[in-house]
Structure formats: structure tokens, C-alpha cells
């Protein structure tokens, strides 16, 4: 078995931050003017997990009875808390000037667009079920099922408390595979686009061909989202973004899966229209 030794890439992904400005929605009832609140959001975390300070900040100028469940919106789009923050940014705000400007609401929860998030235990449950799904694809679920309850807890606590070493001490087991197989059984990935009615595209895709050749990001897109591949003489229609970067299409998907997956063990890939100047 082997594990990625590109520790620096893992660290860069983990410590990715998005400078964000939270502003209270203009129709909220306040006792005095609400100042905006600035925060560096961790890309790999979840927005409802890291915004206690935002809530406390706006609590100072609001009455308790005017505060229902807090939710967030960017330019009219409610932000799904069960998507990692980095994915939300890449999908909706990739080409905007920083800080990212998010609007905070305490009323009129958009039931059709968002899941309720009453507690961190719900975030944990969502996170763990996604990891289990990823391991089912990678190892038929054998690795995650062999772990003990406290190992699962260690993955979650590592994410919740922003502890890179604590998280990776356990997560590296999920990144191992028998050398002779050349990679995972299937690559856990999801492809998102704002222009689509379906939440994301997810299919079974092997990291290696029957002949033992590595599949690349280009191969994956050709099979799953061919529109994202530009023919030589055409204008580039789409950007394919993971963690705020556009990986080269020649990059093996196995390497991407080991290094650029989110803590939930999925590659969350945004396909966004190329900005027109």
C-alpha cells in the first residue's frame, strides 16, 4: 500500500481561506445599524460550522424574537450549507473581487432551496455519510467499516477544530490502495454547474483503464461532461475548477482524488462559464 507523500499539497488545500464580508439583509429588524462582519472562511469546512461569530455579531443589534434560523445568500442564491465552503465559492463567485460578499438572513428561510441545520450534529451526520459513500466507491466500504467509532469521531473533530494532523492521521487510511491495483476501485467525484437543474453529476469512473493506463481529468470530463473540453480552435467555454484552481487536463484522476479531495473524500468539481471581459 502507498499513500500520497505530497504533504504540501494536502496542507495548502486544508489551509485554503476565503476572505468574506457578511452583511445583514436590509429588511431585517435591528435596534441600531448592523456593521458588516469580516471572516476568513476555511474552504474545506461548512458554512454553518464556522459562523457562530457571525451570529453573535448580529445578535448584538437584534432582538431575540426577530432571529429565526440563520441562513446565507450570495447575489440572490441561497447557499447550501451541506456543500463545502470552497465549492460554494468556486461555483457561485469564482471570478469576483474579494472579499466575498455574503448576505445574512434570520427570516423567511427558503424551504425549497435549503436544508435546515439546527445543530452541528446534523453537519457531522452529513459529513460522515458522505465519507462512507466515498469509501464504498473506493474500497467497497471496507476501510471505513473497519474503523472504530472513535476513529470516525477523530475525522470529524479534526475537521471541526481545524486540526490538520489529527484529521490526516486517520484520513490517510482512506487514501490507501493495493499497489498492484494502481488506484481506488472508483473515484468519488461530483461535477456541479450553476446552469443546471440537477444538483450534480456523479457516475462510476475508474482511475485506471483495463490495460493499466491512468485515466486523466480530461478522460473523466470527456466521459461525463464533454462540453467542458475545448476543441483546439474553439473559444474556451468553461473553466473546470477544484479548490480555486484549474488543474491541467492531463492530471491523473487518482492523484487528484488523493490530493484535492475535500475532507468528505469527494472531488467537488465546478464547471463554470468562462468569464467574458
Amino acid at each position: 500500500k502507498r499513500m500520497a507523500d505530497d504533504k504540501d499539497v494536502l496542507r495548502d488545500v486544508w489551509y485554503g481561506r476565503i476572505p468574506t464580508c457578511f452583511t445583514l439583509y436590509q429588511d431585517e429588524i435591528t435596534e441600531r445599524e448592523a456593521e458588516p462582519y469580516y471572516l476568513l472562511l476555511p474552504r474545506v469546512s461548512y458554512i454553518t460550522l464556522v459562523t457562530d461569530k457571525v451570529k453573535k455579531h448580529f445578535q448584538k443589534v437584534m432582538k431575540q424574537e426577530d432571529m429565526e434560523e440563520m441562513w446565507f445568500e450570495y447575489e440572490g442564491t441561497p447557499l447550501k450549507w451541506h456543500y463545502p465552503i470552497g465549492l460554494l465559492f468556486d461555483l457561485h463567485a469564482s471570478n469576483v473581487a474579494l472579499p466575498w460578499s455574503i448576505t445574512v438572513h434570520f427570516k423567511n428561510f427558503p424551504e425549497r432551496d435549503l436544508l435546515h441545520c439546527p445543530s452541528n450534529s446534523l453537519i457531522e451526520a452529513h459529513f460522515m455519510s458522505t465519507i462512507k459513500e466515498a469509501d464504498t466507491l473506493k474500497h467497497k466500504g471496507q476501510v471505513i467499516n473497519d474503523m472504530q467509532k472513535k476513529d470516525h469521531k477523530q475525522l470529524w473533530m479534526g475537521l471541526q477544530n481545524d486540526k490538520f494532523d489529527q484529521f490526516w492521521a486517520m484520513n490517510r487510511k482512506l487514501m490507501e490502495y493495493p499497489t498492484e491495483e494502481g488506484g481506488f476501485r472508483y473515484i468519488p467525484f461530483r461535477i456541479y454547474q450553476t446552469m443546471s437543474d440537477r444538483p450534480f453529476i456523479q457516475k462510476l469512473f475508474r482511475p485506471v483503464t483495463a490495460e493499466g493506463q491512468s485515466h486523466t481529468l480530461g478522460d473523466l470530463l470527456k466521459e461525463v461532461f464533454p462540453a467542458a473540453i475545448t476543441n483546439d480552435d474553439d473559444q474556451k467555454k468553461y473553466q473546470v475548477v477544484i479548490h480555486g484552481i484549474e488543474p491541467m487536463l492531463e492530471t491523473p484522476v487518482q492523484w487528484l482524488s488523493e490530493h484535492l479531495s475535500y475532507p468528505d473524500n469527494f472531488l467537488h468539481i465546478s464547471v463554470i462559464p468562462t468569464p467574458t471581459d
Side-chain angles (χ1 to χ4, degrees):
K1 295 189 174 197
R2 50 174 291 275
M3 159 63 197
D5 43 19
D6 266 319
K7 204 78 186 278
D8 291 346
V9 179
L10 302 181
R11 229 174 257 284
D12 287 347
V13 164
W14 183 271
Y15 290 111
R17 297 289 185 268
I18 301 164
T20 306
C21 171
F22 290 90
T23 312
L24 191 64
Y25 182 58
Q26 63 206 27
D27 292 357
E28 298 288 341
I29 301 162
T30 60
E31 305 197 283
R32 55 183 189 279
E33 199 185 342
E35 298 288 325
Y37 189 79
Y38 290 88
L39 198 58
L40 285 172
L41 292 181
R43 272 183 161 272
V44 297
S45 195
Y46 298 91
I47 198 162
T48 41
L49 190 59
V50 292
T51 44
D52 278 351
K53 288 175 178 165
V54 176
K55 190 174 184 176
K56 287 197 176 84
H57 171 77
F58 291 119
Q59 261 170 346
K60 291 176 196 157
V61 299
M62 294 179 74
K63 287 202 183 85
Q64 201 55 52
E65 64 263 27
D66 292 323
M67 298 182 79
E68 291 162 29
E69 186 174 347
M70 181 170 66
W71 58 279
F72 305 97
E73 163 245 308
Y74 170 67
E75 291 196 343
T77 302
L79 296 174
K80 298 182 190 310
W81 65 260
H82 63 288
Y83 285 12
I85 292 166
L87 166 63
L88 290 172
F89 180 81
D90 292 345
L91 194 55
H92 300 296
S94 260
N95 295 297
V96 303
L98 293 169
W100 186 17
S101 180
I102 290 179
T103 305
V104 182
H105 293 259
F106 289 98
K107 283 262 192 292
N108 303 322
F109 191 90
E111 306 281 347
R112 287 182 49 201
D113 299 304
L114 298 183
L115 302 170
H116 285 282
C117 186
S119 72
N120 285 357
S121 60
L122 198 69
I123 311 172
E124 179 180 3
H126 166 73
F127 172 71
M128 286 314 303
S129 82
T130 314
I131 281 194
K132 285 173 183 165
E133 184 182 343
D135 198 59
T136 302
L137 292 165
K138 295 204 288 196
H139 310 107
K140 300 185 182 174
Q142 283 155 350
V143 180
I144 196 80
N145 292 336
D146 280 350
M147 287 182 180
Q148 299 175 353
K149 204 77 179 148
K150 67 176 172 62
D151 301 335
H152 291 179
K153 207 73 186 164
Q154 181 170 333
L155 287 165
W156 167 248
M157 295 307 285
L159 177 67
Q160 180 178 280
N161 302 328
D162 194 19
K163 298 277 190 261
F164 174 84
D165 292 318
Q166 181 184 5
F167 176 81
W168 270 101
M170 203 49 67
N171 195 55
R172 65 187 182 81
K173 297 179 182 174
L174 295 167
M175 292 295 174
E176 289 171 351
Y177 56 85
T179 315
E180 67 275 10
E181 284 174 25
F184 304 136
R185 207 161 138 258
Y186 297 106
I187 297 291
F189 76 91
R190 291 174 181 167
I191 292 180
Y192 305 77
Q193 33 164 182
T194 47
M195 310 321 210
S196 171
D197 291 337
R198 58 195 284 194
F200 50 76
I201 299 170
Q202 183 178 337
K203 290 184 175 165
L204 293 177
F205 189 81
R206 293 192 185 271
V208 183
T209 66
E211 298 75 51
Q213 293 291 313
S214 292
H215 273 142
T216 65
L217 177 59
D219 296 330
L220 173 70
L221 292 168
K222 261 190 216 93
E223 183 162 320
V224 179
F225 198 108
I229 304 271
T230 312
N231 298 324
D232 296 338
D233 40 8
D234 293 345
Q235 279 292 183
K236 187 170 143 198
K237 281 221 260 316
Y238 294 104
Q239 290 174 304
V240 178
V241 180
I242 312 174
H243 289 297
I245 57 171
E246 290 184 76
M248 288 164 59
L249 295 181
E250 300 76 43
T251 315
V253 286
Q254 177 64 37
W255 187 92
L256 289 173
S257 190
E258 289 175 51
H259 296 86
L260 295 191
S261 288
Y262 277 79
D264 66 10
N265 277 248
F266 269 82
L267 281 170
H268 294 291
I269 304 167
S270 298
V271 178
I272 54 175
T274 303
T276 47
D277 297 331

